[in-house]
Amino acid sequence: MTAADGLGLVATSAGGGAAEVPPASEPETASETLDGADRERARSPRWVWPAAYALSAVALFFCYLRISGTQPVTSDGASMALQAWDILQHGNWLLKGWSLTDVSFYTTEVPEDILVDVFRGLGPADVHTAAAITYTLLVILAGLLAKGGKTASDGGPGGREPPMPGEGLVRVLIASGVMIAPQAGAGAFLLLLSPDHTGTGVPLLLIFLLLDRAPRRPWVPAAAGLMLAWAELADRLVLTIGVLPLVVVCAVRAYRDLIVRREPVKERWFDLALAAAAIVSVGVSGLILTVIRHLGGYVSAPLNTTFTPSAEWPAHIALAAEGVLGLYGADVAGRPVGFYSAIALIHLSGLALAVWAVAGAIRGFFACDDLITQVLTVAILVNLAAYVFSVLPNTYWDNREIANVLVFGAVLAGRLLAGTLMKARLLPALTVVACCYLVALGYGVTRPQPPAHDQALTDWLGARHLSDGLGSYAEGNSVTLDSHGSILLAAPTWRAHSVRPGTHETQASDFDPGQHYANFVVTTTQDGPAFYIPPAWIINAFGQPAHTYHYGVWTIMTYDNNLLDEVS
């Protein structure tokens, strides 16, 4: 019974019949009998959700800022911060002169870094702040998408059965709960060190929210297509986990409804329009990128689409499996038995829920009427397959390519399993697990906060007034960010007998002898063979140094001339 039923109003049953007729002597309605205070209390629940989300977002942001700080800032995150600073300080909106990797993040992380730079200025803390904002948005948006646009009166996902009372809240808590406590160390390294591909989930979740909540109107596919083009400009991974799943799912739904069920085309126009918009978005983003290049903007490296030899598949599968465990906070590789491993084992529950949800979605894929469930399922499978069979998996850090497997799996878990778990009376067990997750979050927040990757080197160079020099990519942009822009450590392309301007997250002006006087070279073995510059190469290129210093893990060779004159 509702409040209105208690006042004797007409209550319509599910079959449409009148359940109760008010007596003639009680003509007043509920709104007439409620006083001002009661009406205010009746309206207040509308503000509960927004207030809860806002407070949760603020609390989570500060938690993730601390967890991000457990990982030292490297040149990957520093590169985006420096690009944002170039736009903010010099108005270089097209990033003219910049040579980027095969992923630009031009329309996602870079604008986010601009906002951070406005309030914080340039420094290594920018990377942690941007990472915390990104992950907070992912957790909040995942909960919103898991909740869905359904109420108790219009059915659950797919409209097959109405959700239970309170199921919307449980969906939110499951999806956000699976993601709420990134694992200290491995998980923070993948999710909160630099935004990277993790941040690509933000525009994708916004697109999926649009498709889930908006009415079926002609403007919706067009808006989704424009949003896809926006995301594709930043990260071509969107083609794999956004465009392709939408096209595949819409094609399957169209075949099922038009061919198998023989429904009229006008009833399925939305799926066809959405597939067309997704395909057109690829051309739109390519056209925009061509215009940017025509105007002298940034240049991206080509995307490596080579398939890996079959002999590499087992190693890639093992690395991907370890990456999934790390993303879900359940990676115990190389860790002794103790509190850390206990937390990781508890995180297996979140991974189990995601696997359960994905398995159920696969099993009922062709009969499912929920577009979002189908798209997320295909996106997870395509992302994992594309990663394993590509040449990308080489190190644990490369698992950032599948970061959105966590996000999409968490959404599916909340969206599909909340009702089942409630019917099975498992909410008390979930509450216990949720408390353990909060303990894990607190554990991550209390971990030590190390300095940036090359902060000690930066301080040493600054104390000796060495402001312009050369090094490897691993030290280059990191030192520049650590020094708040006062030291330029350009990263050229090093060969045994030649040095050329760099093409990996570098700016052409860094190698202009008219703008900079580079008189030292930094080399170190701390970042592995790929980034080590043998001193013999430096001597071959520039001759014997005037002085050679050894500080910590670094070797600094200084000269009395501008080395940029020798960079061909």
Side-chain angles (χ1 to χ4, degrees):
M1 296 283 286
T2 65
D5 295 332
L7 292 172
L9 296 178
V10 174
T12 304
S13 66
E20 186 176 355
V21 178
S25 60
E26 298 181 6
E28 297 173 328
T29 65
S31 60
E32 291 171 335
T33 58
L34 289 173
D35 58 24
D38 291 333
R39 284 197 298 271
E40 185 63 29
R41 284 195 295 269
R43 286 195 297 266
S44 63
R46 285 186 292 178
W47 300 101
V48 170
W49 279 94
Y53 273 115
L55 292 174
S56 299
V58 172
L60 289 175
F61 166 76
F62 285 107
C63 289
Y64 298 142
L65 184 62
R66 289 283 303 179
I67 296 175
S68 176
T70 64
Q71 302 298 311
V73 174
T74 63
S75 282
D76 284 333
S79 299
M80 285 180 279
L82 292 175
Q83 291 155 24
W85 188 251
D86 191 23
I87 292 174
L88 187 63
Q89 290 296 302
H90 305 114
N92 188 10
W93 290 97
L94 297 179
L95 292 178
K96 294 182 178 181
W98 279 91
S99 296
L100 310 181
T101 64
D102 57 6
V103 183
S104 71
F105 303 112
Y106 179 64
T107 54
T108 51
E109 274 79 359
V110 172
E112 180 182 57
D113 278 311
I114 292 174
L115 292 176
V116 172
D117 288 348
V118 167
F119 293 99
R120 293 197 60 96
L122 184 66
D126 298 351
V127 177
H128 297 311
T129 304
I133 292 173
T134 294
Y135 198 74
T136 301
L137 288 173
L138 285 174
V139 173
I140 298 299
L141 291 174
L144 283 171
L145 186 58
K147 182 177 183 291
K150 307 297 182 181
T151 65
S153 63
D154 58 14
R160 291 188 298 275
E161 61 180 73
M164 301 175 66
E167 184 178 330
L169 176 61
V170 176
R171 292 183 189 178
V172 172
L173 295 178
I174 290 176
S176 296
V178 169
M179 299 175 58
I180 201 169
Q183 187 174 24
F189 182 72
L190 288 177
L191 297 170
L192 283 162
L193 177 58
S194 302
D196 217 276
H197 297 289
T198 306
T200 301
V202 173
L204 287 175
L205 289 180
L206 290 174
I207 293 168
F208 298 152
L209 274 169
L210 171 70
L211 297 177
D212 193 42
R213 302 292 184 90
R216 294 300 188 252
R217 299 289 186 269
W219 64 267
V220 175
L226 289 175
M227 294 172 72
L228 281 170
W230 157 53
E232 290 160 26
L233 276 174
D235 188 354
R236 281 176 276 192
L237 182 64
V238 174
L239 297 174
T240 303
I241 63 176
V243 174
L244 182 59
L246 278 171
V247 172
V248 169
V249 167
C250 289
V252 169
R253 290 163 65 91
Y255 176 83
R256 179 195 65 187
D257 297 335
L258 299 179
I259 305 302
V260 178
R261 297 178 179 176
R262 299 187 180 279
E263 296 180 6
V265 175
K266 65 179 181 179
E267 298 294 332
R268 297 293 98 189
W269 69 268
F270 186 84
D271 291 338
L272 297 174
L274 184 58
I279 294 172
V280 170
S281 72
V282 179
V284 171
S285 63
L287 178 61
I288 295 174
L289 184 58
T290 300
V291 172
I292 290 175
R293 290 176 177 170
H294 179 73
L295 296 175
Y298 68 88
V299 177
S300 297
L303 185 65
N304 191 340
T305 57
T306 306
F307 282 100
T308 189
S310 58
E312 302 292 332
W313 294 356
H316 287 193
I317 291 173
L319 187 61
E322 186 181 6
V324 170
L325 288 172
L327 290 168
Y328 280 88
D331 184 13
V332 295
R335 295 282 184 171
V337 176
F339 185 70
Y340 182 93
S341 56
I343 290 177
L345 292 176
I346 291 172
H347 276 80
L348 283 173
S349 58
L351 178 58
L353 289 175
V355 172
W356 181 7
V358 172
I362 294 173
R363 186 170 57 251
F365 182 83
F366 294 101
C368 180
D369 290 324
D370 182 23
L371 173 69
I372 302 304
T373 295
Q374 291 177 306
V375 169
L376 294 179
T377 303
V378 174
I380 291 173
L381 298 178
V382 171
N383 195 187
L384 288 173
Y387 180 62
V388 167
F389 298 123
S390 71
V391 295
L392 294 174
N394 289 294
T395 66
Y396 189 84
W397 172 237
D398 294 320
N399 287 315
R400 67 192 188 279
E401 301 279 350
I402 55 173
N404 285 286
V405 169
L406 165 65
V407 182
F408 296 167
V411 173
L412 286 177
R415 201 173 176 96
L416 299 181
L417 301 182
T420 301
L421 295 172
M422 292 174 71
K423 291 176 183 177
R425 300 174 184 259
L426 290 176
L427 289 188
L430 286 179
T431 302
V432 173
V433 173
C435 292
C436 294
Y437 266 64
L438 293 179
V439 171
L441 179 63
Y443 176 79
V445 167
T446 59
R447 295 305 87 201
Q449 307 281 300
H453 181 60
D454 296 295
Q455 188 64 61
L457 171 64
T458 303
D459 296 340
W460 188 91
L461 294 173
R464 286 153 183 81
H465 306 289
L466 294 171
S467 60
D468 290 70
L470 304 176
S472 72
Y473 170 73
E475 274 69 44
N477 288 337
S478 175
V479 167
T480 302
L481 184 66
D482 296 346
S483 68
H484 304 275
S486 63
I487 298 175
L488 172 66
L489 192 65
T493 301
W494 293 91
R495 294 291 182 266
H497 298 283
S498 66
V499 183
R500 297 184 177 181
T503 58
H504 187 86
E505 300 287 0
T506 60
Q507 193 172 16
S509 60
D510 293 348
F511 305 97
D512 184 356
Q515 299 187 45
H516 302 285
Y517 187 90
N519 61 346
F520 67 91
V521 181
V522 174
T523 183
T524 178
T525 59
Q526 73 167 340
D527 304 303
F531 298 106
Y532 175 58
I533 311 168
W537 290 15
I538 301 172
I539 295 173
N540 287 340
F542 305 120
Q544 291 292 336
H547 300 282
T548 298
Y549 302 95
H550 300 282
Y551 173 69
V553 298
W554 300 280
T555 297
I556 304 96
M557 304 168 68
T558 64
Y559 290 81
D560 295 328
N561 59 292
N562 189 353
L563 302 181
L564 294 179
D565 290 328
E566 307 298 327
V567 177
S568 58

